[in-house]
């Protein structure tokens, strides 16, 4: 704006590939997370959140699909996994395997603070999951700024997750919200938006 005297236009990148269309009733009533095994992703926080959700009586699981980036962080997560049969870590899946695994779940979680965009939560949402994200950075826009999906800490996240798990009407409403949001990140939406931007310069 300062240099060119125009406002910038945001064009969201498309989520690549296709996710299996798994009916909600056939999905695992648990959480999936996707991303690098790195301290910035704060996967220990995801475990702490679901520890609290389980403490409140909700029998949920967590599957972390990761790519090794920090061996020390993986060791710490494996130590957490050793005492939690509901927590599993899957490393270096193929794209097809990742898509199938994500689509098996009902819910997603992303704990990184100030993520620039967050392709992982966009992928999880694209697969039809209700994804809870930290209230910062690009993931806030990915979930459409819906306060029910944004958290600031462990207790706040647990409060919001438990509310959804215990209230079928809230869950159904969020599923409709996800169905609308996921269309924003298709290849078709990207191409159409790009054409509109280019046409403005013609």
């Amino acid at each position: 704006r300062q240099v060119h005297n125009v406002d910038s236009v945001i064009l969201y990148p498309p989520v690549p590939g296709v996710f299996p269309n798994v009916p909600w009733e056939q999905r695992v009533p648990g959480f999936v997370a996707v991303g690098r095994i790195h301290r910035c992703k704060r996967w220990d926080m995801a475990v702490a959140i679901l520890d609290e959700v389980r403490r409140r009586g909700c029998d949920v699981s967590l599957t972390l699909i990761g790519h090794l980036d920090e061996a020390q962080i993986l060791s710490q997560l494996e130590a957490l996994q050793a005492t939690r049969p509901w927590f599993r870590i899957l490393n270096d899946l193929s794209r097809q395997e990742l898509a199938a695994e994500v689509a098996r779940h009902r819910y997603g979680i992303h704990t990184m603070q100030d993520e620039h965009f967050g392709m992982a939560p966009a992928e999880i949402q694209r697969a039809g999951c209700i994804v809870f994200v930290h209230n910062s950075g690009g993931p806030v826009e990915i979930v459409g700024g819906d306060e029910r999906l944004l958290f600031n800490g462990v207790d706040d996240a647990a409060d919001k997750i438990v509310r959804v798990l215990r209230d079928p009407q809230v869950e159904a409403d969020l599923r409709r919200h996800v169905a609308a949001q996921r269309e924003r990140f298709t290849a078709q939406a990207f191409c159409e938006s790009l054409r509109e931007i280019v046409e403005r310069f013609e």
Side-chain angles (χ1 to χ4, degrees), residues 54-74:
R54 289 178 61 84
R55 189 188 69 79
R56 299 186 191 188
C58 299
D59 186 16
V60 292
S61 61
L62 173 61
T63 297
L64 171 57
I65 303 172
H67 172 72
L68 181 60
D69 204 346
E70 278 192 85
Q72 180 183 358
I73 299 302
L74 178 59

Side-chain angles (χ1 to χ4, degrees), residues 111-163:
T111 45
M112 182 173 176
Q113 185 171 5
D114 295 325
E115 179 84 76
H116 294 102
F117 172 70
M119 186 58 78
E123 289 176 321
I124 296 170
Q125 181 176 255
R126 183 81 186 107
C129 304
I130 297 172
V131 57
F132 297 84
V133 300
H134 188 266
N135 189 15
S136 64
V140 175
E141 296 180 43
I142 290 171
V143 301
D146 193 311
E147 291 289 338
R148 296 170 295 181
L149 300 174
L150 307 176
F151 61 83
N152 293 297
V154 172
D155 287 338
D156 184 34
D159 287 343
K160 291 177 177 179
I161 289 171
V162 169
R163 181 186 176 211

